[in-house]
Amino acid sequence: MSSSRIWLITGANSGLGLALTQHVLAQGDQVIAAVRKVSSIPASIKAAKPLVLDLNASDSEIKQAGAEALKIYGRIDVLVNNAGYALTGYTEELDDEAIKTQFQTNFFGAISLTQSLLPAFREQKSGHILNISSIAAVAGGAPFGLYNASKAALEAATEALSIELAPFNIRVLIIEPGFFATNFFAAAGVNSARPERVTGAYPDTSKVPEQYVARHLALKQVGDMNKAAARMFEVVSGTGLAKDFVDGGLRDFVRVPLGPDSGTRFGAKLQLLSENVEATRAIWNSTDMDEEKLQEFAKQT
Ligand SMILES: *[C@@H]1O[C@H](CO)[C@@H](O)[C@H](O)[C@H]1NC(C)=O
Ligand SMILES: *[C@@H]1O[C@H](CO)[C@@H](O)[C@H](O)[C@H]1NC(C)=O
């Protein structure tokens, strides 16, 4: 019996999804590559089985794709919710429809697909779900506010899911990459707002991508997607640098930051949160019922 695992990777045709697909295939596991168009699958991952999936489709179409994926090998061991894109622009200027499509693809679509696989995961009493998020979900900023919000929603849902699924031996992880040499910014575009909605009141976004890249180059801090893929594989396998994280860890942590920029921004956000909690202590510690009112409340319940 081969011990190879079956991976379902969404957005397998580019970026981190492609790097991970290549790495997983090279390790001898099988991949179902979920993409919007089969023609977009590069030759380097021809060994993967294609699955047509549009996360902007209806919930029932997405669940149908999940059911088809399960039939290909008769099981799936690792689901990687990787597909997604970044809406760029200022909250005031973006169309409601563009915002809803962002959440549909990055959040609702990932949830529908996950739901379609959970009965099988529970039955086999094993499985990994990796949600590829972004450090942006934890420490976000303009002009990616709504992209970051869609990832933050995903993270909140993922945290809950990891608790729900722990009794079934299903491990749920949030991967939080920092800056990697993907086409993220090219794909994100400079501004998703329609020209007639641009007010001119906010800073020009046209230089954002190149400034971001230049800053990371100056710091020599550019993530290597192949290394990210190797770490993700190790986290699922409990091998390599993830050996202690999975086997020796005292707790099943949910978050895996990738890249020194990600880890550093995470730490900075934690410090800010900690200062925020301290600065508001007098406020949050002033709202409990007084003794008399509390006794009244206790009587009523
Ligand atoms: C996403 O789906 C909505 C609703 O069906 C549709 O209006 C929109 O054009 C779609 N967007 C893309 C980018 O496919
Ligand atoms: C909240 O205020 C009460 C009354 O001053 C104090 O005894 C308590 O230690 C405070 N709790 C926290 C968590 O700061």
Side-chain angles (χ1 to χ4, degrees):
M1 265 301 281
S2 149
S3 62
S4 83
R5 286 165 302 200
I6 316 296
W7 297 58
L8 170 57
I9 302 177
T10 70
N13 56 321
S14 69
L16 279 178
L18 176 58
L20 182 62
T21 301
Q22 288 166 341
H23 186 79
V24 168
L25 290 169
Q27 301 299 311
D29 282 357
Q30 313 299 322
V31 178
I32 301 167
V35 294
R36 270 178 300 180
K37 287 196 198 91
V38 171
S39 60
S40 72
I41 294 182
S44 64
I45 59 165
K46 276 287 186 268
K49 297 270 194 268
L51 178 80
V52 176
L53 172 72
D54 180 3
L55 291 171
N56 190 41
S58 70
D59 297 347
S60 62
E61 285 170 297
I62 294 170
K63 287 178 180 165
Q64 179 65 34
E68 275 165 36
L70 276 168
K71 280 188 216 145
I72 295 176
Y73 289 101
R75 66 182 282 131
I76 289 168
D77 300 295
V78 189
L79 165 64
V80 184
N81 284 309
N82 164 70
Y85 67 95
L87 187 68
T88 313
Y90 297 103
T91 308
E92 179 184 345
E93 298 176 349
L94 289 165
D95 284 353
D96 294 349
E97 203 178 295
I99 295 168
K100 285 176 183 162
T101 302
Q102 171 79 128
F103 269 76
Q104 172 57 39
T105 302
N106 288 9
F107 179 65
F108 294 113
I111 292 204
S112 294
L113 182 65
T114 305
Q115 280 182 331
S116 72
L117 301 185
L118 286 181
F121 274 36
R122 273 194 297 106
E123 202 166 312
Q124 73 200 22
K125 287 212 175 299
S126 70
H128 277 84
I129 302 171
L130 267 61
N131 284 344
I132 311 295
S133 181
S134 164
I135 183 58
V138 177
F144 298 104
L146 289 152
Y147 163 67
N148 299 359
S150 72
K151 291 296 197 183
L154 185 66
E155 294 207 0
T158 305
E159 277 189 48
L161 191 71
S162 84
I163 297 166
E164 292 170 19
L165 297 181
F168 303 105
N169 192 33
I170 300 168
R171 187 109 201 259
V172 184
L173 294 164
I174 303 169
I175 310 292
E176 284 163 339
F179 179 61
F180 279 78
T182 65
N183 67 346
F184 178 90
F185 284 105
V190 164
N191 193 340
S192 312
R194 281 187 287 124
E196 64 270 29
R197 290 198 51 122
V198 175
T199 59
Y202 301 98
D204 178 17
T205 56
S206 62
K207 294 282 189 309
V208 167
E210 61 194 77
Q211 284 168 351
Y212 197 85
V213 175
R215 197 165 67 237
H216 278 272
L217 267 176
L219 292 167
K220 295 192 194 304
Q221 201 170 70
V222 177
D224 180 335
M225 283 190 285
N226 297 323
K227 291 187 183 178
R231 294 297 94 76
M232 287 190 261
F233 188 87
E234 288 169 0
V235 164
V236 168
S237 310
T239 57
L241 292 178
K243 182 117 192 45
D244 293 338
F245 178 71
V246 176
D247 292 337
L250 297 174
R251 292 180 48 186
D252 277 347
F253 290 110
V254 170
R255 288 187 161 78
V256 184
L258 287 177
D261 55 335
S262 179
T264 305
R265 266 170 73 184
F266 210 123
K269 179 63 183 252
L270 288 181
Q271 191 178 338
L272 180 66
L273 282 179
S274 160
E275 288 168 12
N276 193 150
V277 171
E278 209 37 64
T280 49
R281 181 181 293 273
I283 298 172
W284 55 256
N285 196 26
S286 70
T287 52
D288 271 353
M289 287 181 180
D290 291 334
E291 189 59 35
E292 202 179 316
K293 197 167 180 185
L294 182 66
Q295 283 177 9
E296 235 170 78
F297 176 76
K299 268 186 242 153
Q300 285 163 10
T301 50

